[in-house]
Amino acid sequence: MQRLFPNTLNTNKIDLAAFLDYLRYERRYSPLTCENYQRDLDQFQLWLTEHKDSLDLNQVTEFVVRQWITKLHRQGLKSRSLQRKLSSLRSFYRYQIKHKRLSSNPAIDIRAPKEHKPLPQTLDIEMVSQLLDIKGDDFITARDRAILELFYSSGLRLAELAGIAVSDINADEALLRVTGKGNKTRVIPVGSKAMVAIQEYLQHRSLVNRLSLDTLFLSKQGKAISHRNIQLRISHWQMKQGIPQSVHPHKLRHSFASHLLQSSGDLRAVQEFLGHSDISSTQVYTHLDYQHLASVYDKAHPRARKKKK
């Protein structure tokens, strides 16, 4: 394993292999994480060699690290990648301090620039109604109608919907047991139209369920429908129903959350529906709500409307 800082650059002979062994065997990091850390540290070393000639390890200051991160940011590196590189540096310097080779950690207080996150894209209520107004009573149409209704009714993720079993549905109470991220289970209501669509689909499902599967949504061959197939079916109905925007499962989830928040104002309830462990993940929909209110204000308030010349 090569040395991170060759002897020609400084007097501190620090073996990168020992640091990587520490990550691998003591910290139990995955091989991929160790590779990423080594790549990040090699890149930092190369930059020091090219721009900070003969700089000793103990002379690497917070300002030097900031210069490197700033340079990478200007080159277009995303915030998440910058955060990982800083994490690599912080971990490396902590290791050297622990072994009495260095005295300070110049990356300890540096954070990557925050990345601008665009607001989630949603469909307006009229477009959702147009999308869900699907006619037909054959197996595929009934199944796809139930899929779309359930996505919008309960704000499910794609993997959550694909993993639903018939036994997860409590038809009497109109409740659904969902297994989400981290294998966490939540119970959420199902709207009346979605329940009707599911009941209609179940009549067709019994005819194709030759393998006696508990999985709710099946293909014509009686197998569990794939994530990709669900996405393709949604795209099919987006075009067939004349929806000008692209439609995907997460856009239906975003639309559900935005519309529920607009009508109820209950952020905690939306959090429970979506299965967010942290309410900060749900708060993005408040920005959509404010955006909606601002749009209404601009159109309706006499002081907001521009006078026509």
Side-chain angles (χ1 to χ4, degrees), residues 23 31 39 78 97 104 164 171 203 227 236 271 274-275 277:
L23 295 181
R39 188 182 304 112
K78 299 295 184 182
I97 293 169
S104 63
I164 293 172
Q203 296 175 19
H227 292 195
H236 165 81
Q271 179 190 5
L274 296 178
S277 56

Side-chain angles (χ1 to χ4, degrees), residues 284-304:
V284 64
Y285 297 105
T286 63
H287 297 294
L288 289 175
D289 200 25
Y290 296 149
Q291 196 175 63
H292 170 74
L293 291 174
S295 175
V296 171
Y297 178 86
D298 288 342
K299 291 177 181 177
H301 197 282
R303 287 297 203 184

Side-chain angles (χ1 to χ4, degrees), residues 123-138:
L123 299 170
D124 61 34
I125 294 174
E126 289 74 19
M127 276 191 189
V128 172
S129 298
Q130 182 178 335
L131 175 66
L132 299 181
D133 188 22
I134 296 174
K135 309 299 183 187
D137 58 0
D138 59 286

Side-chain angles (χ1 to χ4, degrees), residues 7-22:
N7 298 345
T8 55
L9 181 67
N10 58 70
T11 58
N12 291 300
K13 299 179 181 178
I14 296 187
D15 191 355
L16 179 57
F19 172 62
L20 293 173
D21 284 344
Y22 162 74

Side-chain angles (χ1 to χ4, degrees), residues 9 22 35 39 48 55 73 89 94 106 139 169-170 172 174 225 228 242 277 284 303:
L9 181 67
Y22 162 74
E35 288 174 18
R39 188 182 304 112
L48 285 176
L55 185 65
H73 186 239
L89 276 181
R94 276 197 299 267
F139 168 76
I169 302 170
N170 182 334
D172 294 334
I225 188 171
R228 182 58 179 157
S277 56
V284 64
R303 287 297 203 184

Side-chain angles (χ1 to χ4, degrees), residues 105-157:
N105 189 335
I108 193 68
D109 293 323
I110 301 176
R111 297 292 177 267
K114 286 188 177 181
E115 191 170 337
H116 171 69
K117 291 184 179 180
L119 291 176
Q121 294 184 335
T122 64
L123 299 170
D124 61 34
I125 294 174
E126 289 74 19
M127 276 191 189
V128 172
S129 298
Q130 182 178 335
L131 175 66
L132 299 181
D133 188 22
I134 296 174
K135 309 299 183 187
D137 58 0
D138 59 286
F139 168 76
I140 294 295
T141 303
R143 182 199 65 191
D144 292 354
R145 183 166 52 235
I147 286 173
L148 287 165
E149 286 283 3
L150 192 51
F151 264 131
Y152 182 63
S153 162
S154 303
L156 302 180
R157 300 179 179 96

Side-chain angles (χ1 to χ4, degrees), residues 14-240:
I14 296 187
D15 191 355
L16 179 57
F19 172 62
L20 293 173
D21 284 344
Y22 162 74
L23 295 181
R24 190 176 296 113
Y25 301 116
E26 291 191 40
R27 299 300 302 276
R28 304 282 185 179
Y29 285 4
S30 70
L32 179 59
T33 300
C34 291
E35 288 174 18
N36 287 335
Y37 272 46
Q38 180 173 8
R39 188 182 304 112
D40 294 338
L41 293 166
D42 283 341
Q43 288 175 358
F44 183 58
Q45 162 62 19
L46 179 61
W47 182 79
L48 285 176
T49 303
E50 293 176 346
H51 300 278
K52 302 293 176 184
D53 188 34
S54 300
L55 185 65
D56 187 89
L57 274 177
N58 282 310
Q59 294 173 310
V60 173
T61 63
E62 181 178 317
F63 177 72
V64 170
V65 177
R66 285 189 187 279
Q67 281 184 304
W68 184 55
I69 293 298
T70 300
K71 173 238 182 189
L72 295 175
H73 186 239
R74 286 175 177 168
Q75 289 177 342
L77 203 65
K78 299 295 184 182
S79 178
R80 183 173 295 179
S81 297
L82 294 174
Q83 288 170 4
R84 196 200 67 221
K85 291 183 184 302
L86 283 168
S87 178
S88 300
L89 276 181
R90 280 194 289 269
S91 183
F92 173 76
Y93 274 102
R94 276 197 299 267
Y95 175 81
Q96 305 310 330
I97 293 169
K98 178 181 178 181
H99 290 81
K100 311 296 184 184
R101 295 190 180 111
L102 294 174
S103 58
S104 63
N105 189 335
I108 193 68
D109 293 323
I110 301 176
R111 297 292 177 267
K114 286 188 177 181
E115 191 170 337
H116 171 69
K117 291 184 179 180
L119 291 176
Q121 294 184 335
T122 64
L123 299 170
D124 61 34
I125 294 174
E126 289 74 19
M127 276 191 189
V128 172
S129 298
Q130 182 178 335
L131 175 66
L132 299 181
D133 188 22
I134 296 174
K135 309 299 183 187
D137 58 0
D138 59 286
F139 168 76
I140 294 295
T141 303
R143 182 199 65 191
D144 292 354
R145 183 166 52 235
I147 286 173
L148 287 165
E149 286 283 3
L150 192 51
F151 264 131
Y152 182 63
S153 162
S154 303
L156 302 180
R157 300 179 179 96
L158 174 58
E160 292 173 344
L161 181 131
I164 293 172
V166 175
S167 56
D168 290 326
I169 302 170
N170 182 334
D172 294 334
E173 301 291 335
L175 296 174
L176 176 66
R177 183 175 64 244
V178 179
T179 302
K181 287 185 176 181
N183 216 29
K184 294 180 180 177
T185 302
R186 65 188 189 276
V187 177
I188 54 178
V190 179
S192 58
K193 290 188 178 181
M195 280 305 308
V196 169
I198 290 170
Q199 296 288 3
E200 291 175 350
Y201 159 66
L202 286 174
Q203 296 175 19
H204 294 275
R205 179 184 176 280
S206 61
L207 301 177
V208 303
N209 190 22
R210 292 177 287 275
L211 300 175
S212 299
L213 297 180
D214 194 26
T215 305
L216 176 59
F217 293 112
L218 304 178
S219 66
K220 268 187 174 180
Q221 291 72 37
K223 298 178 181 178
I225 188 171
S226 69
H227 292 195
R228 182 58 179 157
N229 201 358
I230 293 172
Q231 293 171 319
L232 290 173
R233 296 309 300 168
I234 292 175
S235 295
H236 165 81
W237 288 108
Q238 171 247 315
M239 291 185 284
K240 188 172 180 64

